[in-house]
Amino acid sequence: MFDTLSDRLTSVLTNLRGKGRLSEADIDATAREIRIALLEADVALPVVRGFIKGVKERAKGAEVSQALNPAQQVVKIVNEELIGILGGETRRLELAKNPPSVIMLAGLQGSGKTTLAGKLAKWLSGQGHTPLLVACDLQRPNAVNQLQVVGERAGVPVYAPEPGNGVGDPVQVSRDSIDEAKRAQHDIVIVDTAGRLGVDEEMMKQAADIRDAISPDEVLFVLDAMIGQDAVTTAEAFRDGVGFSGVVLTKLDGDARGGAALSVREVTGQPIMFASSGEKLEDFDVFHPDRMANRILG
Ligand code: GDP
């Protein structure tokens, strides 16, 4: 996903190699090139501005280091600033002291929520948890079925309204699922909610009603990194309409520019917690800002 950005940044930084000392003009020119690379990758403008300011200030004020030459010093600064915009530390799931913990997923239709529900459930099972998947996307005719398929692949049970019971009330289903989890001793409940192709008020209201009904420990906003510039506005809409405590980036295996998704931490203030990079249940990992920064810097 970040190949072009990675190539650009690597080549900008490689140009500094061999310079004994960096003048202010060298630093300004480098900062300009980095700025262009980030903007071309779709990183949001305010995020780019903050990034460049940080790099310039730190590069100009850098102590003469015995261990690193000037080029290496700039690479180190850029790396640290990248880690900074990606959230710094890895943020782990915060589970409830008294189970079941409740994790609610929110995001646009097609963002990869249902797939992610299965990935998360499998990953949590692997750590000794006993999750229950809950189908609260009762809008799309096939959504419940799709979650059941995913649940089967993940080896995790799915709580869903009985077929034939009409459309069902997703808020009631979410509430009932907590009772079911207590009864069957599931320590984590993962609630899949309905999305639309675009942000709309009714969808936000339904997600907010589910949130109010089940008081989740975590609301994860699932964001398709392929949607480009729309990533930022979509994230803002979900932040304002539902609120979330963490972000999951999906489709990082795609070849879109993806920089907008890299802006989501800075724009919303909430951490990127997981990354999905393929359709298989195994294509999933905890998001590590430092590893992502290293990957981008090649
Ligand atoms: P939902 O509507 O938000 O529940 O999205 P789905 O889970 O149904 O995913 C929509 C499509 O994206 C499906 O075809 C998934 O197989 C695909 N998908 C989900 N996550 C990823 C991913 O990380 N990479 C790729 N390439 N495809 C994904």
Side-chain angles (χ1 to χ4, degrees):
M1 163 137 291
F2 302 113
D3 292 354
T4 313
L5 175 62
S6 180
D7 291 349
R8 289 286 299 270
L9 288 180
T10 313
S11 97
V12 172
L13 295 170
T14 308
N15 287 341
L16 294 177
R17 266 199 217 144
K19 285 195 189 265
R21 204 185 136 266
L22 296 183
S23 64
E24 284 215 7
D26 287 330
I27 292 171
D28 288 340
T30 304
R32 234 182 344 262
E33 299 265 333
I34 295 175
R35 183 173 193 276
I36 295 168
L38 293 173
L39 288 174
E40 283 185 353
D42 271 349
V43 178
L45 185 57
V47 178
V48 175
R49 284 207 186 109
F51 186 94
I52 295 301
K53 188 161 171 272
V55 169
K56 268 193 189 171
E57 280 174 5
R58 291 184 56 196
K60 287 180 184 173
E63 297 282 312
V64 179
S65 156
Q66 301 295 323
L68 299 176
N69 65 38
Q72 288 168 328
Q73 235 164 9
V74 175
V75 172
K76 181 167 177 281
I77 291 169
V78 171
N79 182 269
E80 286 169 2
E81 291 288 322
L82 259 183
I83 295 172
I85 63 166
L86 295 174
E89 299 282 304
T90 300
R91 156 82 147 76
R92 308 275 169 187
L93 273 180
E94 279 177 14
L95 300 178
K97 286 198 183 68
N98 299 318
S101 298
V102 179
I103 301 173
M104 171 176 163
L105 308 181
L108 294 181
Q109 183 181 320
S111 59
K113 275 189 307 301
T114 306
T115 311
L116 188 270
K119 291 178 175 191
L120 193 58
K122 183 163 190 239
W123 181 78
L124 287 166
S125 296
Q127 302 192 348
H129 292 287
T130 52
L132 176 67
L133 286 163
V134 181
C136 283
D137 180 356
L138 308 181
Q139 234 117 29
R140 259 190 322 137
N142 201 32
V144 173
N145 185 33
Q146 198 193 335
L147 188 68
Q148 275 159 340
V149 170
V150 163
E152 208 157 292
R153 276 166 53 204
V156 170
V158 174
Y159 182 82
E162 293 294 321
N165 275 4
V167 177
D169 171 8
V171 178
Q172 190 58 43
V173 171
S174 72
R175 218 180 265 130
D176 292 347
S177 75
I178 310 287
D179 294 335
E180 169 63 13
K182 286 181 185 155
R183 192 195 62 74
Q185 302 203 331
H186 294 283
D187 67 344
I188 300 182
V189 178
I190 301 171
V191 180
D192 188 19
T193 64
R196 298 281 165 83
L197 288 175
V199 170
D200 79 45
E201 265 178 40
E202 201 187 323
M203 169 185 71
M204 286 297 177
K205 182 170 181 324
Q206 184 180 97
D209 287 346
I210 293 174
R211 179 202 64 206
D212 291 345
I214 58 176
S215 307
D217 298 284
E218 298 274 15
V219 179
L220 301 184
F221 167 58
V222 181
L223 177 63
D224 175 349
M226 300 265 282
I227 67 172
Q229 303 269 9
D230 286 344
V232 169
T233 43
T234 308
E236 286 172 332
F238 273 87
R239 177 197 59 196
D240 299 341
V242 190
F244 52 83
S245 54
V247 180
V248 182
L249 292 183
T250 64
K251 311 195 191 179
L252 288 176
D253 52 316
D255 55 9
R257 290 179 284 191
L262 294 182
S263 318
V264 72
R265 166 66 177 76
E266 283 273 294
V267 171
T268 67
Q270 296 302 342
I272 304 167
M273 292 174 61
F274 297 101
S276 162
S277 55
E279 296 190 75
K280 293 201 294 295
L281 290 184
E282 295 72 32
D283 301 327
F284 168 81
D285 208 349
V286 171
F287 185 82
H288 298 288
D290 53 346
R291 285 189 211 165
M292 180 56 92
N294 285 340
R295 207 177 104 192
I296 292 172
L297 286 185

